[in-house]
Amino acid sequence: MNSLRDEIKFLFSGQGMPYEKVCLMVAMVITVIMSVLLSGNIAKDAKVAVIDLDNSAYSRELINHIEASEFMKVTAVLNTPQDPKDLFYQDRAVAVVYFPQGLEKARYTGMAANIGVFYDNTSSAATSNVKEALNEIVGLDNAAANGDVGSTNDSLQGQLNLASRNLFNPQDSKDNGETLGFLLFFGSMFFTFATIGMIPRLRLSQQLDEVLLHGTPWDLLIRLVPYGFCLLVSWVVGLAVLRVWGDLTFSGSLLTFIFVQLFMIPTIGALSLFFGWTAANPGIASSRMILFIPGGFIFGGMTAPTTFFADWVVKFSHVFPLTWEFHFQRDIIARGAGFGDISQTFGAFLIYMGIVGILFCLRFNASRRELLAKRAEKMVVIDRWQ
């Protein structure tokens, strides 16, 4: 009974993780917030690009059918040949539909014709509804060609066919999906565990006051270097294992991936210090990891396709650093994008990184002012005593 009383006393003392608050917060987040954010389980208005080399009334009619589907939204129509892979960068499309020249002529002369479809198979779930919708459009068109307008009779044989191809992860390998996602997620999570308690530790050892009085925010950020180096090495080693021992498809440049991480890892580290700043001790700080790491894993396209989420959820997800990480992972590792191909996303990320830096500096300066105010108050008290 003495042990039980001691542990209860410690639980509510504020010296460790405030589990009595954390457990309730987790329950509310999962049951209320997450149930709203994860309510979608189908692709709504998935982005589809069209390469229309026929440029005919018939091809435009098919484009209208695609646009009318609740599962698809036509975001671009091109009338010149283009490599379909280029249209997938930055998650601009989940499928590219290719209308060849002579499509309208084949349709009305009874000749066989193929419509090409290229699917982004970095997430097979993202394209499942799109595949079903396109097959339905072709089926209805073949039925109309046989004089059975509006029919869904699958026994009707038409001349229009879909020639589909899965890109980037055609074998639907888990090494290219969940395993790679877990590598980046758990690496970031344990990096955060290692660094989020740094400010409370420096405060308890009286080192933080010295940095606040005579240093700059850089004196704190530079302490992240050995942890960040370890994280980068662990990711490269993990990718090598998945590539050599597993069946990871690494289509892009490793140097491009590493270059991006030189900006990504410090951003995660700065957020780690920021969220752990006000914690009384490192134990309490560790519980705050949940505030900014898991969100990117959940909404960044690894646990479920981004097409399953509402537009506002996708936009909101960019407050989490791992959302950006998974953008870069899909483009560089899966799709083979070069730095020029991701420049727009990288530029947006630099703005995000700048905002994180500003918040960190504001936190540093606010703490410095608080410390100076306490010291001034202490000096006033000493002068009065003297």
Side-chain angles (χ1 to χ4, degrees):
M1 293 300 295
N2 289 334
S3 298
L4 177 59
R5 282 194 296 268
D6 288 344
E7 201 59 36
I8 293 175
K9 182 179 179 181
F10 175 79
L11 174 63
F12 294 98
S13 67
Q15 299 177 11
M17 177 190 292
Y19 182 69
E20 75 284 0
K21 299 176 183 178
V22 171
C23 65
L24 292 175
M25 182 181 70
V26 170
M28 293 303 296
V29 168
I30 297 299
T31 56
V32 179
I33 299 178
M34 298 299 290
S35 63
V36 174
L37 297 179
L38 299 176
S39 58
N41 59 356
I42 61 171
K44 290 284 291 183
D45 290 334
K47 298 176 182 178
V48 175
V50 177
I51 300 176
D52 183 7
L53 300 185
D54 195 44
N55 195 21
S56 61
Y58 175 60
S59 64
R60 288 190 288 272
E61 180 183 345
L62 290 176
I63 292 173
N64 290 334
H65 287 322
I66 295 174
E67 180 68 23
S69 171
E70 65 172 324
F71 301 114
M72 296 178 289
K73 178 181 181 180
V74 177
T75 57
V77 178
L78 307 174
N79 299 119
T80 57
Q82 184 164 346
D83 187 349
K85 291 183 179 180
D86 295 341
L87 301 176
F88 290 108
Y89 296 146
Q90 303 171 30
D91 292 335
R92 289 179 299 192
V94 299
V96 175
V97 180
Y98 180 91
F99 294 147
Q101 287 183 336
L103 181 64
E104 183 178 52
K105 179 180 179 180
R107 166 66 166 77
Y108 292 111
T109 58
M111 297 173 59
N114 289 328
I115 294 177
V117 187
F118 301 87
Y119 296 108
D120 181 358
N121 211 49
T122 52
S123 174
S124 57
T127 58
S128 58
N129 297 121
V130 175
K131 292 176 180 178
E132 180 180 349
L134 287 175
N135 285 328
E136 181 178 335
I137 290 173
V138 171
L140 289 172
D141 188 80
N142 283 330
N146 282 269
D148 192 3
V149 179
S151 172
T152 56
N153 185 358
D154 293 336
S155 65
L156 291 172
Q157 299 296 319
Q159 299 298 311
L160 187 63
N161 297 293
L162 282 179
S164 61
R165 181 182 176 190
N166 292 323
L167 300 180
F168 311 127
N169 185 24
Q171 72 276 30
D172 200 19
S173 166
K174 298 304 179 184
D175 286 349
N176 292 289
E178 288 87 345
T179 305
L180 181 56
F182 281 128
L183 171 66
L184 300 175
F185 168 59
F186 281 110
S188 301
M189 186 174 70
F190 283 97
F191 169 72
T192 301
F193 282 141
T195 58
I196 199 169
M198 183 186 297
I199 300 298
R201 172 171 58 82
L202 295 175
R203 184 184 296 113
L204 292 174
S205 64
Q206 305 300 319
Q207 293 176 273
L208 182 61
D209 290 355
E210 183 67 20
V211 175
L212 291 175
L213 291 174
H214 307 291
T216 66
W218 177 251
D219 293 309
L220 295 175
L221 294 174
I222 196 67
R223 291 174 175 265
L224 296 170
V225 170
Y227 302 97
F229 177 77
C230 291
L231 175 60
L232 182 58
V233 170
S234 71
W235 277 349
V236 173
V237 170
L239 290 172
V241 171
L242 289 177
R243 183 69 182 91
V244 176
W245 184 72
D247 57 357
L248 173 68
T249 301
F250 200 113
S251 302
S253 168
L254 178 61
L255 292 179
T256 302
F257 178 78
I258 292 176
F259 176 78
V260 170
Q261 304 317 309
L262 296 180
F263 296 84
M264 175 63 65
I265 293 175
T267 302
I268 298 174
L271 284 171
S272 180
L273 299 184
F274 178 82
F275 279 98
W277 195 290
T278 58
N281 58 61
I284 294 177
S286 297
S287 64
R288 300 181 181 182
M289 180 278 300
I290 195 175
L291 298 176
F292 67 101
I293 291 296
F297 181 66
I298 297 171
F299 301 111
M302 295 309 298
T303 58
T306 56
T307 54
F308 282 13
F309 305 136
D311 287 341
W312 71 269
V313 176
V314 175
K315 291 180 174 63
F316 169 75
S317 69
H318 288 85
V319 303
F320 303 112
L322 283 191
T323 297
W324 298 94
E325 178 68 19
F326 291 128
H327 275 305
F328 295 128
Q329 170 260 311
R330 287 192 291 271
D331 275 346
I332 299 172
I333 296 179
R335 299 169 184 148
F339 186 76
D341 300 315
I342 63 168
S343 58
Q344 185 175 352
T345 303
F346 187 72
F349 172 73
L350 289 182
I351 296 175
Y352 173 83
M353 184 179 181
I355 293 173
V356 171
I358 291 172
L359 291 175
F360 184 81
C361 291
L362 291 175
R363 177 71 268 183
F364 182 92
N365 291 328
S367 297
R368 170 183 280 174
R369 289 193 297 269
E370 291 174 6
L371 179 60
L372 291 174
K374 288 180 181 178
R375 290 208 164 195
E377 183 179 348
K378 184 178 180 180
M379 292 301 297
V380 170
V381 173
I382 293 175
D383 290 341
R384 287 178 180 176
W385 277 101
Q386 291 177 347

